[in-house]
Every structure is written in C-alpha cells, then in structure tokens.
Amino acid sequence: MARTQVAIIGAGPSGLLLSQLLHLQGIDNVVLERQSREHVAGRIRAGVLEQGSVDVLLQAQVGERLLNERLVHDGFALGFAGRSFRVDLKGLTGEAVSVYGQTEITKDLTEARIAAGAKLFFDARDVAIGGIDTAHPTVRYAHGGRTQELSCDFIAGCDGYHGVCRRSVPAQAMQSFERIYPFGWLGIMADVPPVSQELIYSNHERGFALCSMRSARRSRYYLQCGLDEPLEAWPDARFWDELRRRLPPQVGETLITGASIEKSIAPLRSFVVEPMKFGRLFLLGDAAHIVPPTGAKGLNLAAADARMLHQALAHYYRTGSTESIDRYSELCLRRVWKAVRFSWWFTTLTHKFSEDPFSHRLQLAELDYLTGSRAALTSMAENYVGLPFGEPPLARSR
Ligand code: APR
Ligand code: PHB
C-alpha cells in the first residue's frame, strides 16, 4: 500500500494551497481530485483577496503572476437610494484588497505543484476514507481503471460542500448550522470594460446587483434572482437592462454591454460544521463552511484554513506535540463565524427579502446611518479587508 504523511482530498484552492504549503515544509502529501484538470481550471468562482490571503500565496511561492496582474482596490462603492457612496477601505483600515480570480489562483497553484513533482491525481474516482478515528487512516480510490489504496497520518478534507469527507464523520460527532436564503445570484462574465474602477454593491427595490471585474477589459456582474428562474429566462439583453435599472442612474448610464462568455445561477447559503476536525480528519474551506458571496469571504476563509492547518501540522511533525492540531478547529471557527456573521449582515443589508416596504425602509435607514458614521464604516471596512489571522489579540491577553 502506498504511504504519505497527509492525504488531501480535493484540488480546489484549499487543497492545492495546503499541498504547496506542506511541501515547502518538507511534509509529504498526495492530492486526489475527482474532476479533470481542465474542469477544475475552467470553474469561475470568487475574485477578491484579503491582504492576508495574498500574503499566504506569496509564502506559498505562487504570488508572482498575482502581484503582476492583480488590481489593487482601495475602496468599493455602495449604491442605494439612487446614489453611490464610496467606502474608503484604505483610509479606514490602512489596507486594500486585491482583485484576482480564483480561476487564476487555481491555475498558478496547479502549475507550481506539478513543477515541484507533486503527487496530484486528477480524475480520482470513488474516493472513500477510513480509519479516521485511528492512528492510521486510509484512502481508497479508483484511478486509471484501478483501485488504489493509500495509508497516511492525516486526511485533509478539501473536497467542498458536496464532498465525501464531511459525510464520512459519524452524524453525532458533528453539528451543522445552516441558513438558506430565498434567492440566488445570476452571474455573467463579459469582455467589456468594468462600469467602474471599483466594485459596486447596489441595494435596489428591484433586488441586489454587484459590479465586479477580473481585469480592465473583463467584467463580472451579478443580479439577485429567484431560485427557480431558468437561465433561459435571462438572455443577455434582459440581464443588461435589469442591471442598468438596479444601479444608481449616473452609473447605469455609463454601462458598456456585450456578449456574455459565461452565465450561471448560484444559490446563497450560510453553513458551518462544528468541529472542523474528527480524529485524524481535518475539514477545510467549503467542506466545513459556506458563506453567501456578498462579503467575498469564501476563498479567503479557505486560504486561512490551509494556512492554519499547515502551521499546525508543521508544529506536530517538528515537535511531536499535538497541541496545535488539537486547536485547529477552535481557532478556525472563531474566524469562520465572524465571516459568517459579516456575510449574513451584508447580504441582509443589500438584498430584497420580501415585497414589504417597511423592510426596505429599514435597509435604507441602516445604509444612511452606515455611510454617515465613521465608526460604522470602519467596522464594515475592517471585516471586508479581513480580520486578523490566528488568535484574536484580546483573547490572547486574557
Ligand atoms: N473526491 C475527490 N475530490 C472531490 C470530491 C471527492 N469525492 N468531491 C469534491 N471534490 C473536489 C471538487 O471537484 C473540487 O475541485 O474538491 C474540490 C473542492 O474545491 P472547492 O469547491 O473550490 O472548495 P475549496 O477548495 O474549499 O475552496 C473554497 O471555492 O466555492 C468557492 O467560494 C468558495 O472561494 C471558495 C472556495
Ligand atoms: C466576484 O468578482 O466574483 C465577486 C466579487 C465580490 C463579491 C463576490 C464575488 O462579494
């Protein structure tokens, strides 16, 4: 039976980043991904990185293209009541965020792993994990038409929300928390210049809209939509019309439209599982938590989990002490819940939940308060740019 120190299930951002960070610490690992390399590389996902995520990608030695091609954003705009208000992230927190697609990060990490001779297997089917509550976990999978078996010290479940790892834990050993939102996001990508140089999150009585981008020539736009709306109901012309209506008029007037190169609908949910560790299985990223995309936190949480786990495993292999790995779940969850709260709050502030005009008036009052209060804006901005990594400073001084 083949052997490795850490078996990583899933080659999304959390699995690939963990693999690379462990490799740089001299920790042997194998990555098993169900999909093909092309499929993983073609997925369009998030696009905003906290500075902490940029730092860990630099630490992982995959930051070169990121630093060259990212767009640094010192702020974003809130659209509401027909106007646009700029949130000065840099002025309020001293920090900025970076716009760089998850697709590109996945590509950079995959190339780095392959160049370093990683044991990274795409098209690995029927992954089944066992012995996670023993000192010798195992992974079975099918690859190249043959059943393979791997023994390891630890398993990292980086296999997303629908993966096999979380489902392998006895139900009574984990508790999950969930909120489903009564709407989805309809997203399109188009090779047109962005309507604004910074992102715009727009509250409108017809529903939420978001203007984002991937580059100076590629725009990413989203509209809040019904969960049961078929994609066919949204030809490009209807999308652009609706987007224009949901933006402050002076912004909508300058919108440049074009043919979409991708269009999809995603549901919104908040989900957390506790603890994020069972025996010798750790859960990372979307396997452990999902946030609605409004706060741009999903990818950043995945990167923070990988950073936390590689530090904990490095400490374990260096010292033999399990102290750090035992605290993995607790330390991750404190950060996760704050991001869950922020993403829920930002979603609640900007989306249409009902036809009730009272609720919309409350949102407008909160937006008016927020944009008139430096204290409230600072609170929002420090959550958006990313909360400190590791143990919260106040907790440490107790
Ligand atoms: N066996 C092997 N691989 C699997 C299995 C399985 N049974 N199930 C799922 N996978 C793979 C998926 O094909 C996918 O490539 O695990 C990977 C999980 O990747 P992501 O879903 O991207 O999750 P993660 O790496 O945690 O990254 C979270 O992705 O969805 C966004 O907003 C989210 O930006 C965040 C990031
Ligand atoms: C994106 O560009 O895909 C994006 C940006 C900001 C968000 C969510 C998604 O909050």
Side-chain angles (χ1 to χ4, degrees), residues 1 48 56 104 153 228 240 288-290 322:
M1 193 190 307
V48 176
V56 74
E104 308 309 316
D153 300 333
D228 46 8
W240 294 119
H289 40 71
I290 301 279
T322 62

Side-chain angles (χ1 to χ4, degrees), residues 8-16 32-36 39-40 43 45-47 102 106 121-122 124-128 157-165 167 284-291 293 297-303 305:
I8 300 174
I9 316 301
S14 56
L16 290 169
L32 302 174
E33 165 60 49
R34 182 173 54 181
Q35 304 287 357
S36 68
H39 179 98
V40 173
R43 281 195 304 231
R45 296 270 186 85
Q102 178 171 322
T106 311
F121 300 106
F122 290 96
R125 301 294 152 99
D126 306 326
V127 168
C158 303
D159 49 351
Y161 181 70
H162 300 286
V164 66
C165 290
R167 281 186 281 119
L284 293 84
D286 279 13
H289 40 71
I290 301 279
V291 288
K297 291 289 163 234
L299 173 59
N300 292 296
L301 285 177
D305 291 350

Side-chain angles (χ1 to χ4, degrees), residues 40-77:
V40 173
R43 281 195 304 231
I44 297 175
R45 296 270 186 85
V48 176
L49 293 175
E50 299 170 358
Q51 186 55 42
S53 301
V54 172
D55 292 342
V56 74
L57 289 164
L58 293 177
Q59 184 189 339
Q61 301 177 5
V62 289
E64 200 178 310
R65 201 161 69 92
L66 162 65
L67 291 185
N68 281 330
E69 296 181 14
R70 70 173 172 172
L71 303 171
V72 175
H73 283 200
D74 290 344
F76 65 81

